[in-house]
Amino acid sequence: MKQLSPITIVNGRIVTSDGIREGSLHMVDGKIAAQAEGDTVDAKGRLVVPGLVDLGVFAIDKPAFHFGGITRAALMPDQMPPLDLPSRVSYIAKSGKPDLWVHPLAAATRGLDGREIAEIALMQEAGAKGIATGRQWIADSGVMLRLLQYAAMLDLPVFCHAEDAALVGDAVATAGEYATRRGLPSAPCEAEAIAIARDLALAEMAAAQIHFRQVTTRRGLELVRRAKKDGLRVTAGVTPAHFMLSDLATAEFRTFARLSPPLRSEADRHAVREAIADGTIDVIASGHDPRGPEDKRLPFSDAEPGMAGAETLLAMALSLVRDEVIDLARAFELVSTNPARLLGVRAGSLVEGYEADVAVVDPDKPWIIQSSKMAATAGNTPFDGQPTQGRVTALWKGGVRVEI
């Protein structure tokens, strides 16, 4: 699928890393261009933004991704079978084309069992854009160090899950008043900080680039903040659930709020918002993990963790702008520019020569999130029934219009 003729979007408010400018955006041969003569699209004063780059999803739902303005997604290796062979990575890397780019993250270890390092160099050749430990933490420090050294040699980022497995065990909630009142198996929030502290030490030894996919506690964020000041190659992400919700959302045992990591305290939620504002957090991702009734219609302790997040990612990021936590330029840095940079792809910014992955967004368009009407394969959203604002009205992938 190639762009057949040049396109110019006029009357838009174009969001760049330097702020917002009014004017036109040109797309030629699938790239952002300085000028063009061809078809014209009137943005009618709406935002013109880079397509979202969703960093670390567990399933690909094209209709849901297109609804949310997502043009690229990094797929976690936790598949059936896992992405621990070059042939599987190669297949996944081609699976979304032509209207969605899927960037596979290679399994760090064979079978994601945390013991034997997988053939990462071959998977990089097959299209892997990073290495991921999957849903689990690698408990063996020797294995983790060798993995980070291998990744540094290949100049690939390592995407980590940050929870000490021995402390977490079978916990489904964060230790505290609410977990105790509800009788839920719980783990201390310090499990996150302990995992981050160890992995930062190993990453420093290996001179490796490390990304913590979700940092959700004040102590964990303080460690990342300090590591950045010390010059370590570290980045951090979070999903909207952890800056929008706290463990209060588990009050009615609703399994849509069963997540990994579990929802934290209100104090930690505010710490996450502060970290988004001050730059400690680099990425907001959807954590898209659709779970059907067979996984969610169970007692809270037995339900599988996960949320369908692709359709709500943009609206939740824009809520931070309305709350004056961040500005628009920073919002799209979090959901587009920084994820693309971590994956090493020339996308995520409206820069001449970059891929023409572009969305037109009405930031004020109201809608109600309804799990029963979501385009994803399952509607397990913790934001079910919540009024929100911000919808994509037009989307292009490589300069070609995508139906939404």
Side-chain angles (χ1 to χ4, degrees):
M1 187 171 71
K2 293 185 179 180
Q3 183 178 355
L4 299 179
S5 61
I7 297 171
T8 297
I9 302 175
V10 300
N11 298 326
R13 292 186 292 144
I14 301 169
V15 179
T16 72
S17 59
D18 298 323
I20 301 174
R21 64 174 176 84
E22 295 187 2
S24 303
L25 182 81
H26 309 287
M27 297 182 278
V28 179
D29 295 330
K31 309 287 186 183
I32 305 295
Q35 58 185 9
E37 292 183 6
D39 299 333
T40 299
V41 175
D42 190 349
K44 300 178 180 178
R46 295 172 179 145
L47 299 177
V48 179
V49 305
L52 275 62
V53 181
D54 201 353
L55 194 67
V57 303
F58 291 90
I60 300 298
D61 282 319
K62 278 194 184 183
F65 282 40
H66 291 158
F67 179 97
I70 296 165
T71 51
R72 294 173 183 266
L75 183 66
M76 294 291 287
D78 309 68
Q79 308 298 312
M80 292 292 288
L83 304 184
D84 59 357
L85 291 175
S87 58
R88 295 169 187 167
V89 167
S90 178
Y91 173 78
I92 290 296
K94 300 178 179 72
S95 64
K97 296 179 180 180
D99 53 357
L100 176 74
W101 262 222
V102 179
H103 299 299
L105 299 178
T109 56
R110 294 188 184 277
L112 289 170
D113 63 7
R115 292 193 292 269
E116 184 181 353
I117 295 174
E119 294 288 354
I120 294 166
L122 294 177
M123 288 191 283
Q124 182 184 31
E125 292 178 3
K129 295 295 186 182
I131 308 163
T133 66
R135 300 178 193 273
Q136 302 296 323
W137 187 63
I138 293 178
D140 188 316
S141 296
V143 171
M144 188 63 183
L145 177 60
R146 290 192 294 276
L147 170 67
L148 288 163
Q149 291 170 332
Y150 195 177
M153 181 180 68
L154 298 172
D155 197 26
L156 280 176
V158 177
F159 296 78
C160 296
H161 181 85
E163 284 185 298
D164 186 305
L167 282 177
V168 171
D170 296 325
V172 301
T174 302
E177 177 185 354
Y178 295 105
T180 301
R181 286 184 176 183
R182 296 173 181 89
L184 295 173
S186 62
C189 64
E190 286 81 3
E192 178 176 278
I194 290 169
I196 290 173
R198 188 210 67 172
D199 287 350
L200 282 173
L202 296 177
E204 184 174 18
M205 291 171 64
Q209 181 181 358
I210 191 167
H211 176 76
F212 295 105
R213 201 171 58 84
Q214 293 197 67
V215 185
T216 60
T217 65
R218 184 174 295 278
R219 289 191 179 185
L221 291 163
E222 287 171 352
L223 288 168
V224 172
R225 192 176 284 119
R226 190 180 313 136
K228 287 188 172 192
K229 288 180 180 178
D230 290 343
L232 271 66
R233 299 173 67 196
V234 56
T235 50
V238 76
T239 62
H242 287 93
F243 64 74
M244 295 292 292
L245 304 171
S246 70
D247 52 7
L248 287 167
T250 64
E252 297 178 357
F253 296 98
R254 194 146 192 258
T255 56
F256 283 0
R258 166 79 170 97
L259 305 174
S260 176
L263 291 174
R264 306 300 192 182
S265 68
E266 188 68 11
D268 282 329
R269 184 180 77 87
H270 284 289
V272 169
R273 293 170 78 89
E274 292 166 9
I276 291 171
D278 69 18
T280 302
I281 285 178
D282 304 272
V283 172
I284 296 176
S286 74
H288 188 65
D289 193 4
R291 300 280 193 172
E294 69 280 3
D295 290 330
K296 285 293 188 180
R297 199 168 292 164
L298 297 166
F300 196 94
S301 296
D302 298 329
E304 294 291 340
M307 60 180 277
E311 290 158 83
T312 56
L313 174 60
L314 175 62
M316 296 300 105
L318 290 175
S319 75
L320 293 169
V321 178
R322 289 192 297 275
D323 292 344
E324 299 183 347
V325 177
I326 54 175
D327 61 17
L328 273 169
R330 170 71 173 146
F332 286 94
E333 182 180 76
L334 288 159
V335 297
S336 299
T337 307
N338 288 347
R341 187 179 295 124
L342 275 169
L343 294 171
V345 295
R346 287 172 61 83
S349 299
L350 301 182
V351 175
E352 185 179 350
Y354 274 40
E355 292 287 329
D357 300 345
V358 179
V360 176
V361 173
D362 183 345
D364 300 316
K365 184 175 178 63
W367 58 290
I368 296 175
I369 300 168
Q370 294 178 280
S371 63
S372 61
K373 295 183 178 180
M374 294 181 82
T377 52
N380 53 304
T381 171
F383 306 118
D384 189 24
Q386 179 174 319
T388 190
Q389 291 174 257
R391 285 279 290 272
V392 173
T393 61
L395 185 66
W396 288 263
K397 177 75 195 76
V400 178
R401 189 75 173 256
V402 176
E403 293 296 325
I404 56 175

